[in-house]
Amino acid sequence: LDRTPDTLKLNAKLADLLQLPSGTRSEILTAMWLYVKVNKLQDPEDRTTVNCDKRMAEVFGCNRVPMRDLADLIEGHLQPLPPLLIPYTVRMSTDTSSLHEVYEMRVEIETPKPSELPTDVPHPYAFEEHPNAARDMQILDDEISILVDRIRHHDRRREFLERFAEDPVPGLNDLLRAHARAIEDAGAEEVISDREREAVRKSEFYMGPWVYEAVQEYIEETRKM
């Protein structure tokens, strides 16, 4: 059962004092305040202090209680509600077509310990029963890996196209930088002269007609993916 906020049980003395067997902390504090107010137990000279009457003194064991300490004193007289036990027998052979009432109730079931699980039921993927299970799992793992790579590729492509649509210049700069890094990684720097390497560092190098052709080829390649 959903008990939010928590519903707590009052011990016998506090329940008899407040005439409240159970309730939330807010309800219990409200009942306590009403008891103090109805019985005029607030100290007339110090309104932050409660002068306990005989019944209240028997519950809390003191004659005066600061208002700020009431909640802590009450807490010691509260306990969780006992579990709700509903004895019920499930009859699988009974005809239920004549029944007109259905009750749905959420119940908590303890998770069985490994030692309590049945041992005579074979696992559906037990290697003894499925000698090809290892191979099948490897095939599935490979397929999952391929799908993950495709998802990452499409995600990078989508991110590039979104950035390119918003502002083409940074996208082209990133593309050219990636292209230059790829050339260097392939060992092309060994056949590039110092003059050519210096020219690549300047923006004028990327103003030539080959840039337009390279971008068009890149866009065509991305469309084919």
Side-chain angles (χ1 to χ4, degrees):
L1 299 177
D2 185 14
R3 294 190 178 116
T4 305
D6 293 338
T7 301
L8 302 169
K9 179 183 178 182
L10 288 69
N11 65 12
K13 290 184 178 181
L14 185 59
D16 181 64
L17 178 72
L18 302 181
Q19 294 298 301
L20 183 70
S22 63
T24 63
R25 286 182 172 84
S26 177
E27 293 170 344
I28 297 168
L29 284 172
T30 300
M32 186 77 255
W33 168 244
L34 289 175
Y35 180 87
V36 170
K37 188 175 181 180
V38 169
N39 293 279
K40 300 179 180 180
L41 300 179
Q42 261 187 304
D43 193 311
E45 297 181 359
D46 183 5
R47 306 295 290 178
T48 63
T49 302
V50 176
N51 296 321
C52 299
D53 59 8
K54 182 179 179 180
R55 296 181 62 199
M56 192 171 174
E58 290 177 355
V59 174
F60 297 123
C62 55
N63 295 323
R64 290 170 59 85
V65 179
M67 295 285 288
R68 64 177 182 274
D69 295 341
L70 267 179
D72 293 335
L73 289 174
I74 291 173
E75 192 69 28
H77 297 268
L78 305 179
Q79 54 188 340
L81 285 177
L84 179 62
L85 301 178
I86 304 177
Y88 191 81
T89 302
V90 178
R91 296 183 296 275
M92 303 298 295
S93 60
T94 304
D95 182 15
T96 59
S97 59
S98 61
L99 302 179
H100 303 288
E101 295 181 353
V102 177
Y103 299 92
E104 182 176 344
M105 182 176 295
R106 185 186 300 272
V107 295
E108 296 181 0
I109 301 177
E110 294 184 1
T111 303
K113 299 178 181 178
S115 58
E116 298 174 348
L117 295 174
T119 58
D120 56 341
V121 180
H123 194 279
Y125 293 104
F127 288 97
E128 295 79 4
E129 301 294 331
H130 302 273
N132 298 325
R135 185 195 64 185
D136 295 342
M137 286 191 293
Q138 184 61 47
I139 293 174
L140 292 175
D141 287 341
D142 294 340
E143 293 178 356
I144 292 173
S145 179
I146 293 173
L147 291 175
V148 170
D149 290 339
R150 288 180 181 176
I151 292 172
R152 290 174 177 171
H153 170 74
H154 287 296
D155 185 61
R156 290 193 297 267
R157 179 184 173 191
R158 180 173 178 269
E159 181 182 358
F160 171 79
L161 293 177
E162 286 180 347
R163 293 173 56 194
F164 188 83
E166 293 177 359
D167 190 353
V169 175
L172 289 176
N173 290 336
D174 293 342
L175 174 63
L176 294 173
R177 281 193 293 268
H179 182 65
R181 285 195 299 269
I183 293 176
E184 293 181 357
D185 294 339
E189 68 276 3
E190 298 178 359
V191 298
I192 297 178
S193 64
D194 292 340
R195 181 179 298 178
E196 291 172 334
R197 187 178 291 106
E198 185 63 27
V200 171
R201 296 174 180 271
K202 297 181 180 180
S203 61
E204 292 83 358
F205 179 78
Y206 301 100
M207 299 298 180
W210 67 272
V211 176
Y212 177 80
E213 295 177 1
V215 172
Q216 292 297 322
E217 290 182 5
Y218 177 80
I219 293 175
E220 290 297 328
E221 288 295 328
T222 56
R223 288 177 179 174
K224 294 177 183 179
M225 294 180 182

